[in-house]
């Protein structure tokens, strides 16, 4: 070991910092009772500096490279950084404030540079490569071999194998691309805000409830404009289209959204076109025919051809179903003597009328049966108990980041401690939108760590003393996020790099979407869907209506997603020598070529507001949402064929899939459990796409 150089800029970091030493709380839970906002930055900076020391010591080791002194040693680095970053990420996402936000933007570029300092370290890569190329003679166990493959691939993927001149070119491309990504993100945010619908004439907002109008008036006030403001959501369809009865209003809002990102002074089309070109050039530098080929190599799908083949199987039945739905809607428009052809801005308004007529169903009828604690303990936890034998005890002694957060200790069937699970379900102004799972501690036998994971959601919080009654979608969200949590908690691997949810994007949503199936499974549903006042189970007729209404509008929903996925794939299979594209022409031709260009069903995102692919890391990855739907429907079909909710079925799934993280090639792992490769049939069946 080389002597450690002095730590830079860590004057404020010492034993009084709560991250200085590993947490002494059960499961090494973060000591939120002692953490102040000012503790994060010094701890994270010291954590980066320490990891660089640790990595340098490995790279400079005078002993010949071995699996132990290179791969195992790397697995043990960065523990201080992990402890500080995991707590910081939780707070930054779920309970932020201006101080935290400042720290976040200050750290973002430095964390990216920190990654480069590891992956582009030539001495370190030489050792990694030496062990990798010699792996057959080392007689390692399967998981250790997998670690060698995965880590070596991560280095090569990041450009470690390039010569010095090409590494410099790569850094330049990365720099320009990240600047453009940032420009796109900020430009889109500004344009989306600017493109909001503003009116002083309330009659054009007919159909909205008093509460919706009040919210629109309040937004106008906060933006210091007269009248009402209807903001745009970052999708093609807008939530209020279901209620807005004035057709001209819907059309204007739609057009505002459709052309956002094209405004003079803030036109994002040149940004998008240049980004696509830069990415194609980056792929060529790294030795790939396209950016998608580079991205997909370490995913389950592996190649652009596999993704396109998968999407092409879904497009004909999805568009056929969307067309049938469109015909039903057109018939309703005609019956009302509308005198126009169905347009995208009409779809949801009339679809909602069709839904009410067809299913005679309203969310307010079912909500009294979905009281949150009942859903959590008698639904989410119950299914995990029946399948995996888990039990849950609330712990009031573990510190949390906000008083609404609850903590449960999870025990295995044999009574052994397994994990800590936190849930933070209620909406707050200082919380990001949506729902997610993450971890404070990843499971690892090497490090002797049991998992500490959490779920966050944005469920509406009622006034104090009122029951928390949630919607059917919210119930599904709780099961979904808990599916991710199970993937983290049931992990049983040696190395943290391969633990739990550290898997490719087109696998990670599989356990979560799979767990959603139990929300509507009759034995589970009956166990939790009881009236919050009377305790009576939901009447069968109502439960049946709820189940049937899930089939509604599936053609539209899937088609708009497939169109977005195809757009993403077309942009990222662009040839490296292709000129800068005309965005509008490219988009039109991409959708036509893919046969997913229904006039009334536009893509969920246009190129000019497709944040996922231009700034959020989903480039050549948007298909993953549909890919994992194939997996979860196919997997649930296996359960149905084998007796459904039983301990034996759960145990088999746990030992062969959920506990395994990324310790085996995932196509193989899935096929070993399922008895064959995944098939698309169950997905087509479940979405009601198999003909009329
Ligand atoms: Zn998810």
């Amino acid at each position: 070991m080389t002597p450690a150089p002095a730590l830079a800029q860590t004057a404020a970091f010492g034993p009084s910092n709560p991250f200085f030493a590993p947490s002494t709380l059960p499961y090494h839970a973060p000591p939120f009772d002692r953490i102040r906002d000012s503790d994060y930055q010094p701890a994270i900076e010291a954590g980066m500096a320490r990891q660089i020391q640790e990595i340098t010591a490995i790279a400079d080791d005078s002993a010949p490279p071995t699996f132990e002194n290179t791969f195992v040693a790397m697995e043990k680095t960065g523990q201080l950084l992990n402890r500080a970053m995991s707590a910081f990420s939780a707070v930054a996402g779920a309970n932020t404030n201006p101080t935290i936000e400042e720290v976040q933007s200050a750290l973002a570029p430095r964390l990216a540079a920190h990654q480069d300092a590891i992956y582009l370290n030539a001495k370190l890569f030489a050792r990694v490569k030496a062990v990798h190329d010699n792996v057959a003679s080392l007689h390692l166990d399967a998981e250790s071999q997998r670690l060698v493959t995965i880590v070596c691939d991560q280095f090569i993927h990041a450009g470690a194998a390039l010569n010095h001149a090409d590494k410099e070119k790569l850094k330049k491309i990365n720099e320009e691309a990240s600047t453009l990504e940032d420009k796109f993100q900020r430009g889109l945010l500004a344009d989306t805000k600017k493109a909001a619908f503003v009116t002083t004439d309330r009659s054009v907002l007919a159909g909205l409830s008093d509460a919706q109008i009040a919210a629109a008036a309040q937004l106008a006030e906060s933006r210091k404009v007269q009248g009402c403001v209807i903001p745009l959501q970052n999708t093609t369809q807008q939530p209020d289209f279901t209620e807005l009865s004035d057709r001209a209003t819907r059309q204007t809002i739609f057009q505002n959204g459709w052309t956002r990102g094209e405004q003079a002074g803030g036109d994002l089309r040149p940004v998008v076109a240049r980004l696509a070109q830069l990415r194609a050039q980056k792929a060529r530098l790294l030795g790939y025919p396209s950016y998608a080929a580079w991205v997909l190599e370490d995913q389950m799908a592996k190649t652009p051809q596999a993704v396109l083949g998968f999407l092409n199987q879904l497009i004909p039945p999805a568009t056929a179903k969307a067309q049938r739905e469109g015909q039903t809607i057109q018939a309703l428009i005609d019956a009302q003597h509308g005198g126009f052809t169905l347009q995208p801005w009409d779809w949801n308004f009339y679809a909602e009328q069709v839904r009410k007529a067809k299913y005679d169903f309203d969310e307010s009828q079912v909500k009294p049966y979905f009281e949150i604690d009942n859903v959590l303990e008698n639904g989410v936890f119950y299914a995990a108990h029946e399948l995996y034998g888990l039990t849950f005890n609330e712990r009031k002694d573990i510190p949390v980041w906000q008083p609404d957060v609850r903590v449960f200790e999870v025990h295995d069937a044999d009574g052994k401690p397994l994990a800590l699970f936190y849930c933070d379900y209620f909406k707050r102004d200082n919380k990001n939108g949506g729902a997610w799972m993450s971890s404070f501690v990843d499971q690892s036998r090497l490090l002797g760590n049991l998992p500490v994971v959490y779920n966050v959601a944005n469920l509406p919080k009622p006034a104090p003393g009122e029951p928390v009654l949630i919607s059917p979608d919210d119930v599904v969200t709780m099961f979904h996020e808990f599916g991710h949590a199970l993937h983290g908690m049931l992990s049983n691997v040696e190395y943290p790099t391969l633990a739990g949810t550290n898997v490719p994007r087109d696998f990670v949503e599989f356990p979560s979407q799979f767990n959603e199936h139990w929300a509507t499974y009759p034995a589970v549903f009956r166990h939790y869907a009881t009236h919050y006042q009377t305790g009576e189970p939901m009447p069968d007729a109502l439960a049946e209506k709820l189940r049937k209404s899930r089939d509604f509008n599936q053609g539209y929903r899937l088609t708009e997603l497939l169109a977005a996925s195809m757009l993403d794939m077309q942009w990222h299979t662009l040839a490296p020598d292709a000129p800068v594209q005309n965005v509008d022409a490219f988009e039109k031709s991409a959708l036509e070529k893919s046969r997913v260009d229904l006039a009334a069903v536009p893509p969920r995102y246009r190129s000019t507001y497709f944040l996922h692919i231009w700034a959020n890391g989903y480039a050549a990855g948007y298909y993953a949402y549909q890919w994992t739907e194939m997996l979860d429907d196919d997997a649930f079909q296996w359960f149905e064929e084998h007796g459904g909710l039983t301990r034996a079925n759960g145990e088999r799934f746990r030992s062969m899939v959920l506990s395994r993280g990324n310790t085996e090639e995932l196509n193989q792992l899935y096929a070993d459990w399922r008895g064959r490769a995944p098939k698309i049939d169950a997905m087509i069946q479940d979405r009601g796409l198999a003909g009329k």
Side-chain angles (χ1 to χ4, degrees):
M1 295 272 284
T2 41
L7 290 179
Q9 298 190 9
T10 49
F13 187 69
S16 66
N17 189 295
F19 296 110
F20 187 79
S23 161
T24 53
L25 290 169
Y27 299 79
H28 305 304
F32 282 108
D33 53 341
R34 298 199 291 123
I35 302 171
R36 292 157 304 164
D37 288 350
S38 56
D39 292 325
Y40 290 112
Q41 189 162 356
I44 291 167
E45 284 176 348
M48 286 193 280
R50 187 175 300 171
Q51 189 172 28
I52 292 300
Q53 281 178 16
E54 293 163 343
I55 289 289
T56 307
I58 296 169
D60 293 349
D61 194 343
S62 56
T66 64
F67 176 71
E68 282 293 327
N69 75 17
T70 307
F71 287 84
V72 175
M74 279 195 291
E75 290 296 290
K76 292 178 179 168
T77 69
Q79 294 186 32
L80 168 60
L81 181 60
N82 287 347
R83 312 199 260 282
M85 264 316 285
S86 61
F88 180 70
S89 305
V91 171
N95 204 38
T96 192
N97 61 47
T99 310
I100 296 283
E101 277 167 23
E102 225 167 87
V103 173
Q104 204 174 9
S105 23
L107 287 174
R110 301 179 54 191
L111 286 163
H114 178 69
Q115 288 299 309
D116 276 352
I118 296 172
Y119 285 112
L120 299 182
N121 180 323
K123 275 197 211 160
L124 182 63
F125 179 61
R127 296 180 73 88
V128 164
K129 187 80 169 45
V131 176
H132 175 268
D133 291 354
N134 195 29
V135 73
S137 68
L138 300 178
H139 308 293
L140 299 173
D141 61 89
E143 187 182 332
S144 300
Q145 281 188 43
R146 175 76 173 165
L147 183 71
V148 171
T149 308
I150 293 284
V151 171
C152 189
D153 284 353
Q154 284 172 349
F155 273 83
I156 293 170
H157 205 78
L162 298 180
N163 63 37
H164 182 73
D166 283 348
K167 267 187 200 166
E168 292 308 304
K169 276 189 211 162
L170 180 67
K171 281 184 194 163
K172 273 219 164 71
I173 292 181
N174 283 344
E175 203 181 294
E176 187 184 347
S178 72
T179 308
L180 288 173
E181 287 173 11
D182 184 56
K183 191 172 176 186
F184 180 86
Q185 180 152 24
R186 281 183 295 110
L188 178 59
L189 198 68
D191 253 20
T192 305
K193 196 177 170 193
K194 238 191 290 176
F197 180 78
V198 184
T199 182
T200 49
D201 175 6
R202 291 198 179 188
S203 72
V204 303
L205 299 178
L208 296 188
S209 67
D210 290 346
Q212 284 170 308
I213 299 269
Q218 188 154 31
L219 185 57
E221 205 179 301
S222 77
R223 289 194 186 180
K224 303 197 181 354
V225 294
Q226 293 292 313
C228 291
V229 173
I230 307 286
L232 284 178
Q233 176 176 293
N234 193 42
T235 47
T236 295
Q237 287 291 345
Q238 299 300 320
D240 296 330
F241 287 171
T242 318
E243 286 110 18
L244 284 166
S245 58
D246 186 309
R247 187 162 188 250
T249 303
R250 292 198 306 267
Q251 182 172 358
T252 305
I253 293 176
F254 181 88
Q255 289 296 348
N256 287 357
W258 189 248
T259 55
R260 91 193 85 159
E262 295 179 2
Q263 308 309 314
D267 193 343
L268 298 174
R269 286 172 292 190
V271 177
V272 162
R274 176 64 181 151
L275 252 180
Q277 192 186 42
L278 269 181
R279 287 174 177 176
Q281 288 169 1
K282 172 172 173 170
R284 178 169 56 190
L285 194 59
L286 290 161
Y288 295 84
S290 68
Y291 192 76
W294 176 71
V295 167
L296 290 167
E297 191 186 47
D298 61 359
Q299 301 291 299
M300 204 177 171
K302 294 215 174 357
T303 64
Q305 292 70 28
V307 172
L308 293 171
F310 166 72
L311 296 173
N312 279 326
Q313 275 185 284
L314 287 169
I315 286 173
T319 48
K321 182 159 166 95
Q323 269 165 330
R324 290 197 297 274
E325 290 166 0
Q327 283 156 9
T328 308
I329 292 170
Q330 186 68 54
L332 180 72
I333 292 170
D334 295 345
Q336 295 178 6
H337 307 292
F340 57 84
T341 305
L342 168 65
Q343 297 295 333
W345 50 89
D346 301 316
W347 190 291
N348 286 346
F349 182 71
Y350 290 97
E352 183 60 15
Q353 296 183 27
V354 173
R355 187 176 73 90
K356 276 190 181 137
K358 202 166 168 185
Y359 300 106
D360 178 31
F361 169 76
D362 187 330
E363 251 177 38
S364 63
Q365 296 169 289
V366 292
K367 276 188 167 181
Y369 297 90
F370 298 144
E371 191 276 320
I372 192 168
D373 290 339
N374 227 350
V375 174
L376 181 65
E377 286 168 39
N378 294 319
V380 173
F381 288 170
Y382 173 72
H385 177 263
E386 295 300 292
L387 288 164
Y388 313 115
L390 308 184
T391 51
F392 300 82
N393 299 303
E394 186 155 13
R395 296 271 307 240
K396 303 274 192 187
D397 59 327
I398 308 282
V400 293
W401 57 94
Q402 205 278 341
D404 284 343
V405 180
R406 296 173 72 185
V407 186
F408 294 86
E409 183 173 16
V410 186
H411 285 91
D412 217 334
D414 60 6
K416 283 199 184 120
L418 184 76
L420 275 188
F421 170 70
Y422 298 57
C423 47
D424 181 3
Y425 285 132
F426 296 121
K427 190 173 182 60
R428 281 192 295 276
D429 281 343
N430 64 349
K431 193 191 260 191
N432 284 344
W436 64 93
M437 167 271 185
S438 194
S439 62
F440 293 118
V441 182
D442 280 343
Q443 181 273 333
S444 162
R445 287 197 300 268
L446 176 72
L447 304 180
N449 286 340
L450 289 173
V452 179
V453 309
Y454 61 94
N455 280 172
V456 181
N458 273 282
L459 311 185
K461 191 181 180 179
E466 292 294 310
V468 184
L469 305 178
I470 63 177
S471 73
D473 282 352
D474 291 338
V475 172
V476 171
T477 297
M478 285 172 66
F479 275 87
H480 177 102
E481 296 310 330
F482 195 73
H484 287 304
L486 284 169
H487 200 192
M489 294 192 292
L490 297 178
S491 176
N492 186 9
V493 307
E494 187 74 12
Y495 305 113
T497 290
L498 305 177
T501 55
N502 297 326
V503 293
R505 201 163 33 219
D506 60 3
F507 190 83
V508 76
E509 293 299 326
F510 162 46
S512 53
Q513 291 178 169
F514 169 76
N515 203 54
E516 289 178 24
H517 286 270
W518 303 111
T520 47
Y521 187 80
V524 177
F525 189 82
R526 271 197 302 274
H527 200 258
Y528 75 86
T530 52
H531 197 282
Y532 79 102
Q533 283 166 320
T534 64
E536 291 285 317
M538 185 184 289
D540 287 344
L542 186 56
E544 188 59 20
K545 275 188 207 170
L546 175 65
R547 251 191 297 281
K548 278 195 175 149
S549 69
R550 286 175 62 228
D551 189 32
F552 173 76
N553 220 19
Q554 288 283 353
Y556 187 100
R557 264 184 243 165
L558 187 56
T559 301
E560 67 163 359
L561 292 171
L562 291 168
S565 293
M566 271 299 185
L567 200 52
D568 171 28
M569 287 306 293
Q570 299 290 345
W571 274 118
H572 293 111
T573 46
L574 202 64
D577 51 3
V580 168
Q581 301 293 304
N582 173 309
V583 173
D584 297 322
F586 181 89
E587 183 170 293
K588 191 165 182 294
S589 132
L591 296 174
E592 264 168 29
K593 237 185 342 202
S594 311
R595 297 170 189 281
V596 64
D597 57 337
L598 300 185
V601 191
R604 186 172 169 83
Y605 307 95
R606 271 191 100 186
S607 305
T608 35
Y609 50 89
F610 206 161
L611 188 65
H612 283 84
I613 67 167
W614 301 123
N616 278 358
Y618 267 74
Y622 196 70
Y623 78 91
Y625 290 105
Q626 294 107 66
W627 181 275
T628 46
E629 278 184 29
M630 164 177 73
L631 298 181
D632 76 69
D633 286 342
D634 187 58
F636 190 70
Q637 188 184 51
W638 183 92
F639 272 80
E640 284 182 316
E641 289 164 358
H642 292 83
L645 182 85
T646 70
R647 279 283 283 122
N649 286 346
E651 209 51 46
R652 187 169 179 277
F653 189 61
R654 172 178 177 172
S655 67
M656 297 181 81
V657 179
L658 290 178
S659 66
R660 302 286 310 278
N662 197 14
T663 57
E664 193 181 348
E665 200 284 316
L666 291 162
N667 288 286
Q668 190 60 48
L669 179 138
Y670 186 90
D672 286 348
W673 169 72
R674 186 65 173 92
R676 57 161 173 74
K679 285 189 188 172
I680 205 166
D681 308 41
M683 177 178 180
I684 290 192
Q685 201 68 42
D686 283 9
R687 258 133 266 273
L689 298 176
K692 261 191 164 188

